[in-house]
């Protein structure tokens, strides 16, 4: 019997790829850069299953060009690259990789928070450039973490894991926004569910973990930075478009806030001439939050399980549009 045809839009770890290859005819896009939308559409044309990355736009045009498609398995927890309404309308389940990258992403949120608060990026560059004169009592003064207040914007798994590290390790008080209060966070971390205004005004550190959707896109603009403390550190490990970047650059340049640590930007990659790179109080990582060996293996395994369930017509273990299973 013919094996289901699958396109994998980039090389993923063998931990997942081999599971897919054991049951399907697989074509893997071999390049470092993503396939163009035209190529992706062409590849999807004959596929039953598609493994996409956060850099691949899966929209109605692609889905319409893929009449045999039974599943899209995203190699990410975020699915903002996928038009979910279009997939649901066509009864195509979409899978993601929740849980697998929670710890790694929380680790990077804390890393960026520390690096920005303690001015690690700028002081290290200064030393390398030969400007380290001596030990100076007033040199490189940063911000303390212990006992300060952390504001978590979006208390999902990753927000919780970040808060747990900073509450447990540095005794931080935790404020958070979320659609609903989170009893676990309140109980385990003594966290307080507040509105965004209160969070911005009271937090020493603001860490973004919300989904990207039309209500959260651009949620950090000039007005929000102006409400933050002048000593505040802003961290984003969610998605670049949450932030109005010119407003952030202005806030960093004018001292409206103290510093920022970003793992995500808009666009990605951020071009080398972008103003944010020129600001010493902005630490930028190239979207590496899930980049550990074990995490990427776990993501690949979940991604393969979703894909294989989908090609067999079974329910995906992690489906972000379960409405596809509702009978009407
Ligand atoms: C995700 O999975 O959404 C991350 O941004 C990439 O690992």
């Amino acid at each position: 019997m013919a094996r289901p045809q699958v396109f994998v839009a980039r090389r993923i770890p063998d931990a997942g790829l081999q599971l897919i290859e054991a049951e399907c005819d697989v074509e893997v896009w071999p390049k470092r850069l993503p396939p163009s939308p035209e190529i992706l559409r062409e590849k999807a044309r004959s596929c039953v299953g598609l493994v996409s990355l956060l850099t691949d736009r899966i929209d109605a045009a692609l889905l319409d060009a893929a009449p045999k498609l039974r599943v899209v398995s995203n190699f990410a927890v975020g699915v903002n690259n996928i038009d979910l309404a279009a997939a649901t309308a066509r009864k195509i389940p979409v899978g993601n990789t929740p849980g697998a990258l929670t710890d790694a992403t929380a680790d990077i949120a804390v890393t960026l928070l520390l690096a920005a608060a303690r001015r690690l990026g700028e002081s290290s560059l200064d030393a390398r450039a030969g400007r380290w004169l001596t030990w100076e009592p007033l040199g490189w003064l940063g911000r303390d973490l212990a006992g300060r207040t952390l504001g978590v914007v979006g208390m999902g798994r990753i927000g919780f894991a970040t808060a747990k590290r900073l509450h447990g390790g540095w005794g931080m008080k935790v404020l958070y926004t979320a659609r609903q209060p989170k009893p676990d966070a309140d109980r385990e971390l003594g966290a307080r569910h507040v509105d965004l205004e209160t969070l911005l005004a009271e937090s020493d550190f603001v860490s973004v973990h919300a989904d990207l959707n039309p209500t959260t896109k651009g949620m950090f603009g000039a007005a929000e930075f102006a409400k933050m403390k002048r000593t505040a550190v802003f961290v984003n490990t969610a998605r670049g478009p949450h932030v109005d970047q010119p407003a952030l650059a202005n806030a960093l340049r004018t001292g409206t806030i103290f510093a920022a640590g970003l793992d995500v930007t808009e666009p990605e990659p951020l071009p080398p001439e972008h103003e944010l790179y020129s600001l010493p109080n902005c630490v930028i990582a190239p979207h590496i939050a899930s980049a550990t060996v074990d995490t990427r293996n776990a993501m690949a395994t979940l991604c393969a399980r979703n894909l294989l369930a989908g090609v067999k017509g079974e329910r995906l273990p992690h489906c972000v549009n379960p409405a596809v299973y509702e009978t009407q």
Side-chain angles (χ1 to χ4, degrees), residues 54 74-80 97 101 105 158 237-239 263-264 287-291 295-296 299:
L54 55 89
N74 214 36
F75 183 75
V77 68
V79 287
N80 56 296
T97 63
L101 47 102
T105 305
I158 299 172
T237 53
R239 285 292 183 264
D263 186 50
V264 288
H287 204 150
I288 59 168
S290 67
T295 296
R296 290 282 165 85
M299 288 169 69

Side-chain angles (χ1 to χ4, degrees), residues 16 24 45 64 96 129 132 190-191 202 222 225 243 254 268 287 289 326:
C24 304
R45 202 171 288 284
D64 284 340
N96 73 338
W132 181 3
E202 295 185 14
F225 293 119
V243 177
T254 57
E268 291 181 3
H287 204 150
E326 282 163 20

Side-chain angles (χ1 to χ4, degrees), residues 3 28 71 108 298 318:
R3 291 164 23 117
V28 179
V71 58
I108 284 289
H318 299 285

